[in-house]
Amino acid sequence: MRIAIVGGGPGGLYLAALMKQLDAGHEVTVWERNAPDDTFGFGVVFSDETLGGIESADTAIYGAMERQFARWTDIDVAIDGQSSTIGGQGFAAMSRKELLRILQARVAELGVTVHYRTEAPDTDRLREEHDLVVASDGLNSQVRTRYADAFGPSLDRRHNKYIWFGTDLVFEAFQFIVRNTEFGTMQIHGYPYSDKGSTFIVEMHEDVWRRAGFDRTEDEVFPPGVSDEYAVERVAEIFAEDLHGHRILTNNSKWLSFTTVRNESWHDGNVVLLGDAAHTAHFSIGSGTKLAMEDALALAACLHEHPSVDTALEAYQQERKPVVESTQRAAQASLEWFENIGMYADQDPDEFVFNLLTRSRRITFENLKDRDKDFAARIQGAFARQVGVGADESAPAMFQPTRIGALELKNRIILSPMDMYSAVDGVPGEFHLVHLGSKALGGAGLVMSEMVCVSPEGRITRGCPGLWNDDQRDAWARVTTFVHDHSTGRIGLQLGHSGRKGSTKLMWEGMDEPLTEDNWEVVGPSALPYGEGCHVPREMTRADMDQVVADFREAARRGVEAGFDLVEVHAAHGYLLSSFLSPVSNVRTDEYGGSLENRLRFPLEVFDAVSGAVPGDMPVTVRISATDWMPDGNTEHDAVEIARAFIEHGAAAIDVSSGQVSKDEKPAFGRSYQTPFADRIRHEVARPAGVAVIAVGAISSHDDVNSILLAGRADLCALGRTHLYDPMWTLHAAAEQDHAGPGAQWPVQWAAGRRRPPTSRTDKVPPRLALLRDGGTDDVHLRWRPGQGEDRSSDAGPVTPATTAPDTVSV
């Protein structure tokens, strides 16, 4: 093959070396606009996983790299001078300049032609003269821009400002240094890369950046290689205590805004994207160099394995794109966390540290416990102490008691409301008794009914239950009595009205498909259907609103008589109250439309009516959609104000869901994908008011639940489909964590089943295969102390016991 590589960074050079190693007959040419000794940045970090791939692909490159590595296992987190440490991570870093030198020497040895200080020829000409053209020309790729119609790039410029420095202070571990200054929160991402220096990245929100005066040089154009010396002076002043008298080093250092690069396609004909030209991931979780070298390895392998360039490039995209997209999802969560870091300024230090470490949702409590059990125990104990009376420091967070308003709950697990479409004339039957009763017996602290409709016209389907008559009340009383008599859990009632999403078929007959027979009129704030083919609602009059308010009031009264412990007003998922809140479905021009204040007016009337119909000590909560997942819909910032309004009207908890206001929504699904919305609402409005926040949405493991709670992202977690898979999920989670206590009491009839059944391997007793017992060496904490050998103690160094940002394990 004749291969042209545009860009002589680590990704392009590594690909060139691998292709020549696979077949010396390949003619590989690299064009690099910079001189061979030009490099921007300081250190690069690799995970053990990536290094394993490099070692197996080219032992010469790996061997040269290994001799340059700084290695450590700790991460230190310092918050305004208060520090903590977590170990057991595993990092290797080296100078970017040394890495380039190694790769340059290797390609020269293998016979690759590299044109330094030379712009690449016209890409169309390269395409004609070569079998393959590789665009490895970085974030601002000219090749990608030229063929943008084919690649479909999207560039997402983020809100934080950052600047890449070095320092002659040699850190002993990964460093997160957080300073809450008079201007706002600023942070340092730092790590050692040699015995002479460390990378030192300063980051802050643009608003903080401006308040601190860093925008003084905003309009100044710095030539290539020239750094912002004013920024150096200000950073040295602000972080003087953390620098311990050491210098800040510069290398083309100037303020930047991180841009996330994505491409719909990574190849076009015989042109392919590699590294930052194809994708970027925020530096807080991934190294662009690491990703580029992984790309190179995959591309070389695919070219070697497939008979044509077309099939090889398609295989490369299919193999690498899902991996990169997974990394980008984690990186997106991480960068958004750092954009909002000021929100956590008043968190307990231990909670803050754990929050930071688990920010991407890739790292969890169990991960950290495996790596550093002492740190995990400290975090769990700190959470228990915050809970106060009744807490058990040995208990997992999910089994700590809590309360919603005056209602005490034995644990923090809720059965999320889920429509079952199995009522007859609105009357719940034996199915509901078994469905809800089994979840209460299964250990959930609070079992929530599905949406119980306040009128026949407020049903979603013919199978939805209601509370508009006394027969329905009496049937619900049978369910609540069972829960109270046979479990230590509590049961809540969710009240709602379907609005424009009503009069549809049962879910298994066609979800959201309108009834064509025996249908009823649907209403909404405006005459806009939920989606194409759906019923067009009648715009509600004031008289309609009055009737709905009365229906909610009467249903709440019957709910009290039925024995429910809590009432939740359903103002999410595009049903009637949600459709008033959303500008997607509410285009009214009267006092109930337009501004958010106006759109809140009717839902708050309903909430007040429900609150007035129940005893003063019965908590009334609300479920909201935190975002509409629509360009012109509500956002997480609107959700904060919606939550604030309900809290001011007495809501005891905010149940944070999202979406379902339009069929055209584009949700960003993923594990615990709605939790960041709960997190924001909790810290901005709920926590200061002493109101509980409930996280919901793709939370499926006890590890996820504990991680969310310990990080302070929510007070309780609601799980739906997980409970459908396993009605005993809560008690099984206790057994898996070897926990027994008040928050995980088994029914006496089932007590014999509280231990996990043996498997085919549990009877194996392993033999002793070590001649000498471990003498007590602490392998959890390895610090980088060049010149002192491998010092594994963690009680010395510029930063005392610190914490971890395990997200960086994927660096």
Side-chain angles (χ1 to χ4, degrees):
M1 293 181 66
R2 298 190 72 221
I3 302 170
I5 300 176
V6 182
L13 292 176
Y14 189 48
L15 175 66
L18 293 177
M19 292 305 296
K20 287 294 282 187
Q21 183 175 279
L22 286 169
D23 186 340
H26 291 319
E27 182 184 322
V28 184
T29 307
V30 180
W31 283 268
E32 169 54 49
R33 69 178 64 177
N34 295 311
D37 55 351
D38 286 346
T39 183
F40 304 122
F42 294 89
V44 292
V45 188
F46 296 95
S47 66
D48 289 340
E49 181 182 56
T50 302
L51 291 176
I54 294 173
E55 182 177 17
S56 64
D58 190 319
T59 56
I61 289 176
Y62 177 79
M65 289 173 62
E66 186 178 35
R67 289 189 289 275
Q68 299 292 329
F69 285 151
R71 287 189 180 274
W72 69 95
T73 63
D74 281 353
I75 298 179
D76 297 341
V77 179
I79 310 160
D80 294 329
Q82 183 174 344
S83 304
S84 54
T85 296
I86 183 170
Q89 306 306 310
F91 298 98
M94 65 182 298
S95 160
R96 179 179 172 85
K97 182 171 285 191
E98 286 299 314
L99 176 61
L100 279 172
R101 183 187 60 77
I102 290 167
L103 293 170
Q104 289 165 357
R106 181 61 170 157
V107 295
E109 176 188 355
L110 292 169
V112 174
T113 301
V114 183
H115 299 291
Y116 293 108
R117 303 183 184 87
T118 306
E119 294 286 348
D122 179 78
T123 312
D124 285 343
R125 179 181 145 200
L126 291 177
R127 296 183 80 155
E128 292 176 3
E129 297 177 350
H130 294 80
D131 301 299
L132 178 69
V133 179
V134 181
S136 182
D137 51 344
L139 170 67
N140 300 311
S141 170
Q142 294 181 9
V143 177
R144 183 189 65 223
T145 302
R146 179 164 186 170
Y147 303 112
D149 290 345
F151 294 125
S154 68
L155 279 68
D156 178 17
R157 182 183 178 276
R158 300 307 305 179
H159 309 300
N160 273 12
K161 290 286 190 180
Y162 72 98
I163 189 166
W164 208 290
F165 290 132
T167 175
D168 58 4
L169 169 61
V170 180
F171 294 131
E172 295 182 1
F174 214 108
Q175 301 287 327
F176 285 100
I177 301 170
V178 179
R179 286 280 170 193
N180 291 300
T181 73
E182 61 184 299
F183 314 109
T185 305
M186 305 178 186
Q187 63 267 11
I188 299 292
H189 308 253
Y191 56 86
Y193 61 80
S194 74
D195 59 356
K196 303 218 170 24
S198 304
T199 293
F200 193 80
I201 306 170
V202 185
E203 184 186 25
M204 66 197 74
H205 195 280
E206 184 172 349
D207 294 343
V208 177
W209 179 79
R210 291 190 184 282
R211 286 195 294 268
F214 286 113
D215 60 348
R216 174 171 151 181
T217 58
E218 182 175 18
D219 298 324
E220 193 169 337
V221 178
F222 296 97
V226 175
S227 298
D228 185 341
E229 294 300 331
Y230 175 71
V232 175
E233 294 174 11
R234 289 287 287 134
V235 168
E237 178 185 348
I238 293 169
F239 290 95
E241 185 179 333
D242 304 290
L243 286 164
H244 302 283
H246 287 265
R247 293 180 301 139
I248 291 177
L249 309 176
T250 61
N251 182 350
N252 201 46
S253 303
K254 55 200 73 173
W255 290 106
L256 302 168
S257 298
F258 188 83
T259 300
T260 300
V261 174
R262 299 178 178 89
N263 284 276
E264 292 179 16
S265 176
W266 289 13
H267 62 95
D268 173 46
N270 66 340
V271 178
V272 64
L273 303 177
L274 185 146
D276 284 358
H279 50 73
T280 58
H282 192 253
F283 50 81
S284 63
I285 192 173
S287 156
T289 299
K290 162 204 177 317
L291 291 174
M293 292 181 72
E294 288 179 352
D295 284 353
L297 194 154
L299 178 56
C302 289
L303 288 165
H304 185 66
E305 293 167 354
H306 291 81
S308 70
V309 169
D310 288 342
T311 56
L313 297 188
E314 183 59 27
Y316 161 66
Q317 177 171 313
Q318 290 182 3
E319 179 178 323
R320 279 297 292 165
K321 198 176 183 195
V323 175
V324 168
E325 287 174 344
S326 175
T327 299
Q328 286 185 315
R329 284 192 294 272
Q332 186 75 10
S334 181
L335 75 83
E336 288 178 2
W337 191 92
F338 279 111
E339 287 176 345
N340 297 299
I341 192 172
M343 192 166 70
Y344 308 111
D346 63 345
Q347 266 194 314
D348 171 84
D350 285 330
E351 188 178 64
F352 177 90
V353 167
F354 185 80
N355 192 357
L356 185 154
L357 302 181
T358 57
R359 66 193 179 276
S360 76
R361 304 191 291 276
R362 275 189 167 185
I363 300 302
T364 64
F365 178 69
E366 290 296 322
N367 297 148
L368 296 179
K369 188 162 68 173
D370 288 343
R371 293 168 180 161
D372 190 338
K373 65 181 187 301
D374 292 339
F375 171 80
R378 188 180 107 203
I379 296 300
Q380 187 166 286
F383 184 84
R385 288 189 291 276
Q386 285 186 32
V387 172
V389 178
D392 174 4
E393 289 199 17
S394 66
M398 63 183 287
F399 291 113
Q400 297 290 2
T402 190
R403 62 174 60 234
I404 297 177
L407 180 64
E408 295 185 359
L409 300 175
K410 63 180 179 179
N411 62 44
R412 294 165 185 258
I413 300 302
I414 299 175
L415 170 71
S416 196
M418 291 175 288
D419 293 320
M420 295 287 108
Y421 310 108
S422 299
V424 177
D425 295 328
V427 178
E430 292 182 347
F431 175 87
H432 298 83
L433 175 64
V434 174
H435 165 58
L436 295 172
S438 66
K439 309 310 182 292
L441 290 174
L446 175 64
V447 173
M448 289 298 300
S449 76
E450 63 195 277
M451 185 176 90
V452 176
C453 304
V454 298
S455 66
E457 303 78 27
R459 291 175 296 168
I460 309 167
T461 73
R462 288 187 297 266
C464 291
L467 256 178
W468 62 82
N469 63 44
D470 291 348
D471 288 343
Q472 295 161 352
R473 175 200 63 194
D474 295 342
W476 280 117
R478 185 179 176 217
V479 177
T480 63
T481 299
F482 180 90
V483 171
H484 292 144
D485 288 351
H486 296 281
S487 81
T488 53
R490 297 290 180 261
I491 183 166
L493 166 68
Q494 187 188 68
L495 288 178
H497 187 296
S498 61
R500 65 179 186 162
K501 293 178 73 174
S503 191
T504 61
K505 298 178 181 179
L506 301 179
M507 180 179 66
W508 42 87
E509 293 175 352
M511 190 167 181
D512 294 326
E513 291 185 18
L515 290 172
T516 55
E517 297 179 3
D518 300 325
N519 56 302
W520 56 90
E521 182 183 44
V522 298
V523 296
S526 303
L528 298 173
Y530 172 60
E532 186 177 353
C534 295
H535 293 303
V536 177
R538 176 173 59 80
E539 183 174 306
M540 292 178 72
T541 65
R542 182 61 250 188
D544 293 326
M545 295 183 208
D546 291 340
Q547 182 60 55
V548 169
V549 169
D551 290 340
F552 268 92
R553 182 184 299 112
E554 285 302 295
R557 179 185 62 77
R558 288 193 176 93
V560 174
E561 294 172 352
F564 285 99
D565 300 301
L566 170 151
V567 178
E568 178 173 275
V569 174
H570 198 348
H573 298 171
Y575 297 119
L576 183 62
L577 302 186
S578 173
S579 64
F580 266 88
L581 291 171
S582 172
V584 171
S585 47
N586 182 351
V587 295
R588 298 175 74 101
T589 56
D590 61 7
E591 66 268 35
Y592 297 99
S595 68
L596 180 57
E597 180 183 5
N598 284 358
R599 302 198 309 272
L600 270 160
R601 197 182 304 274
F602 178 59
L604 289 173
E605 286 181 20
V606 170
F607 185 87
D608 290 344
V610 170
S611 296
V614 305
D617 61 350
M618 176 179 279
V620 180
T621 68
V622 62
R623 172 172 275 201
I624 66 172
S625 284
T627 177
D628 291 341
W629 300 115
M630 296 279 290
D632 298 318
N634 283 329
T635 68
E636 66 270 25
H637 303 291
D638 298 309
V640 168
E641 298 311 312
I642 291 170
R644 190 192 310 276
F646 280 108
I647 289 170
E648 289 173 353
H649 282 247
I654 308 295
D655 185 356
V656 186
S657 188
S658 71
Q660 301 182 49
V661 299
S662 170
K663 279 191 172 183
D664 297 326
E665 68 176 3
K666 296 191 184 319
F669 290 121
R671 197 172 105 248
S672 306
Y673 70 106
Q674 294 175 156
T675 300
F677 305 132
D679 189 6
R680 178 181 289 275
I681 288 170
R682 183 174 189 264
H683 282 92
E684 292 199 19
V685 290
R687 187 179 185 181
V691 169
V693 167
I694 302 165
V696 60
I699 302 169
S700 57
S701 71
H702 61 74
D703 192 16
D704 285 338
V705 172
N706 288 329
S707 298
I708 289 167
L709 298 174
L710 290 168
R713 297 189 175 101
D715 301 285
L716 303 99
C717 291
L719 291 81
R721 290 179 176 87
T722 303
H723 277 115
L724 297 183
Y725 179 77
D726 180 4
M728 299 282 293
W729 181 83
T730 305
L731 292 180
H732 288 165
E736 289 168 6
Q737 297 173 84
D738 195 25
H739 173 72
Q745 290 182 334
W746 284 68
V748 292
Q749 299 90 336
W750 295 350
R754 69 183 181 276
R755 293 182 181 85
R756 296 184 72 182
T759 67
S760 59
R761 291 184 172 272
T762 53
D763 61 345
K764 179 182 177 181
V765 180
R768 174 175 174 170
L769 297 175
L771 179 61
L772 298 175
R773 294 189 184 278
D774 186 346
T777 300
D778 182 6
D779 287 325
V780 172
H781 298 291
L782 171 65
R783 313 288 287 186
W784 172 243
R785 289 173 178 163
Q788 299 181 34
E790 285 195 352
D791 187 336
R792 294 181 177 273
S793 67
S794 61
D795 58 356
V799 183
T800 54
T803 41
T804 290
D807 301 86
T808 357
V809 170
S810 62
V811 165

